[in-house]
Amino acid sequence: MRIGSIDMEWLGHSAFKIKFKELLIYIDPYQIHSIDKADLILITHSHYDHCSQQDIEKIAKDGTIIIATPDCQSNLARLKQKIEIALIEPDKEIILKDIKIKGIEAYNPNKKFHQKSEGWVGYILQLEDTVIYHAGDTDFVKEMSNLTGYGKKGNYFIA
């Protein structure tokens, strides 16, 4: 799928590959076949099907920046590549390489395996005038009603 100057590809499960300018971004790589090396990898939480060390190793290179929740650190520390890790939490914003990235609450209100207290996230990426929302592993939660201020002047996409 192409949105303006952005190429976005669903890789299965919760995984996406996004090309923006000269940057290659992955979100939650899991059971992927791509070997294109990432500049930026976003991880929503530590479950094996979102923070897959095997898949991250396929696409990471020295200098890859990984944005992840704190519970992912032990998996990421085992990577062979010399990566940079930036930790994110709900409502925290990070600006990297002209991309504004915000963590959004992601949880299941009535299930045990994705509790709000974990601090897991979905992501809002603002790439120039395009906004992409990747919900992470969540149900429809009340915090999603706060997303209405994004994407009013440009393109938006919800994954």
Side-chain angles (χ1 to χ4, degrees):
M1 170 184 287
R2 188 162 180 86
I3 304 170
S5 62
I6 300 164
D7 286 314
M8 188 162 66
E9 179 182 356
W10 177 58
L11 302 176
H13 199 60
S14 183
F16 282 84
K17 179 168 71 171
I18 301 167
K19 292 181 183 177
F20 172 65
K21 295 183 178 179
E22 301 298 317
L23 300 173
L24 186 56
I25 306 163
Y26 287 86
I27 304 174
D28 283 352
Y30 176 65
Q31 294 183 338
I32 61 171
H33 301 291
S34 179
I35 55 170
D36 297 329
K37 299 301 181 186
D39 298 295
L40 182 60
I41 301 172
L42 307 176
I43 306 295
T44 60
H45 67 292
S46 62
H47 285 170
Y48 72 95
D49 56 340
H50 296 266
C51 184
S52 166
Q53 183 180 351
Q54 178 183 2
D55 289 290
I56 294 169
E57 280 188 346
K58 286 181 193 176
I59 57 173
K61 62 184 179 186
D62 288 351
T64 293
I65 300 169
I66 300 178
I67 298 177
T69 53
D71 59 312
C72 297
Q73 289 182 90
S74 61
N75 279 345
L76 300 175
R78 296 184 188 115
L79 295 174
K80 298 171 188 169
Q81 297 90 344
K82 295 178 183 173
I83 58 159
E84 295 180 43
I85 300 172
L87 298 180
I88 196 156
E89 298 170 344
D91 297 320
K92 181 177 178 183
E93 288 186 357
I94 297 173
I95 298 175
L96 289 172
K97 301 182 183 276
D98 297 327
I99 301 170
K100 184 176 175 182
I101 302 161
K102 182 173 182 177
I104 301 296
E105 297 264 15
Y107 61 94
N108 303 129
N110 300 313
K111 300 173 194 160
K112 295 179 184 179
F113 40 82
H114 295 104
Q115 295 183 352
K116 185 175 182 172
S117 61
E118 296 288 352
W120 295 339
V121 298
Y123 288 101
I124 291 180
L125 289 80
Q126 187 160 357
L127 314 167
E128 293 177 340
D129 66 345
T130 300
V131 175
I132 298 170
Y133 172 51
H134 184 282
D137 207 339
T138 188
D139 289 334
F140 185 77
V141 295
K142 63 182 178 182
E143 289 84 0
M144 289 178 181
S145 65
N146 297 331
L147 302 178
T148 56
Y150 293 92
K152 293 205 179 209
K153 293 184 180 179
N155 302 311
Y156 64 92
F157 182 80
I158 299 174

